[in-house]
Amino acid sequence: MRALAQDGWAVTAASRGGSRDAAWPEEVRSVRLDREDDEALAALVGDDVDLVVDLVAFTRDHGQQLVRLADRIGSAVVISSVAVYEDERGRSFDTQEEPDGEPRFPLPVPETCGTVAAGDATYGTRKVQLEQDLLALGEKLPTTLIRAGAVYGPHCRTPRELYFVKRNLDGRRTRVLAYEGKSILHPTSVANLAELVRLAAARPGSRVLNGCDPDSPTVAEIGAMIDALMGVETRTVLVEGPPPAPTVGDTPWTLPHPVVADMSAAERELGYRPVTTYADALPETVRWLTERLREQDWVDGFPKMVASYTTGLFDYAAEDAWLASRG
């Protein structure tokens, strides 16, 4: 919002709560909106807007809302996900639980990599359906779809960094990491995402672009960075293969093969240059999480995180039992 306002856009920020960020310029207007309410969305768009930025488009119905309003919108920027990709053998995030189902993507992953089939079955298939419906509009509604990675930053509803921050606050000084702590799920700072949105808004077009940070640290490196920021020392037990027991050594980044997105298309088409790195953006996220966790229990503070990863994310009893069995 801040970046668009600074570029001269008259910005209206819509959310369920209608709240506003203290960092937004005063001229940014905030309103309440239930995304599932078609009439309310149409009323907010009105007869004509130059740009719609959609951060919460997850289903075909959400895409169809924009399709029905296409003649009232100049252009759109919609957030998609790297979860749409599949490798050359058809393996994807959706097949991870199947035998030999872990995807091996090219490094880095270009936008031309194959995607899962469009449909309603999973998060990835729904995002693909959304992409296809919006791209089919072409010049009727020029839409930039940004395939984000592991998004992080203050106010994130599923902050992966919570995993290490909470453990440190709970006094856990030994951790277990599967795959030798080498897992990589390319992160996306909200600041870099905002820069991509800003640039795409100024250059409307029908396109798909990856949207990730310039750096892609391993899960072990992320843990070490968070330890340093919080002033703690942690002993890490590295496991060569997959998690050795259910809920042990399994983090929100844990994958057997790295996922790193190619950012050259965004650089070429939009002139994109990242405004921050993971290391530079991380302190703000850690401060926010630390304050939030001191105010309320994580189950109450991050219900979507619980829904995505279950409370087994912090199964200390299982971890202690496994460590004890290893002596």
Side-chain angles (χ1 to χ4, degrees), residues 150-231:
V151 178
Y152 66 97
H155 312 298
C156 179
R157 296 174 66 192
T158 54
R160 290 171 174 83
E161 289 73 15
L162 175 74
Y163 180 80
F164 290 120
V165 173
K166 176 172 165 54
R167 291 178 63 91
N168 286 344
L169 291 176
D170 290 344
R172 301 293 294 185
R173 295 296 177 261
T174 299
R175 59 173 164 250
V176 181
L177 296 178
Y179 304 114
E180 298 183 310
K182 296 178 181 178
S183 296
I184 298 176
L185 180 54
H186 206 159
T188 300
S189 162
V190 291
N192 286 328
L193 197 56
E195 177 66 1
L196 283 161
V197 169
R198 184 185 75 84
L199 294 170
R203 299 171 177 82
S206 292
R207 58 170 83 92
V208 174
L209 298 172
N210 286 331
C212 293
D213 284 357
D215 47 344
S216 49
T218 66
V219 63
E221 290 169 340
I222 291 172
M225 285 187 234
I226 293 176
D227 285 355
L229 289 170
M230 298 182 72

Side-chain angles (χ1 to χ4, degrees), residues 5 8 19 57 63 81 135 145 243-245 263 281 284 305 321:
S19 59
S81 169
L135 291 174
L145 290 137
M263 289 302 299
E284 184 181 23
M305 190 77 174

Side-chain angles (χ1 to χ4, degrees), residues 294-310:
R294 284 173 175 161
E295 292 171 355
Q296 62 184 149
D297 183 78
W298 83 280
V299 173
D300 298 323
F302 300 95
K304 191 173 180 183
M305 190 77 174
V306 177
S308 297
Y309 297 101
T310 79

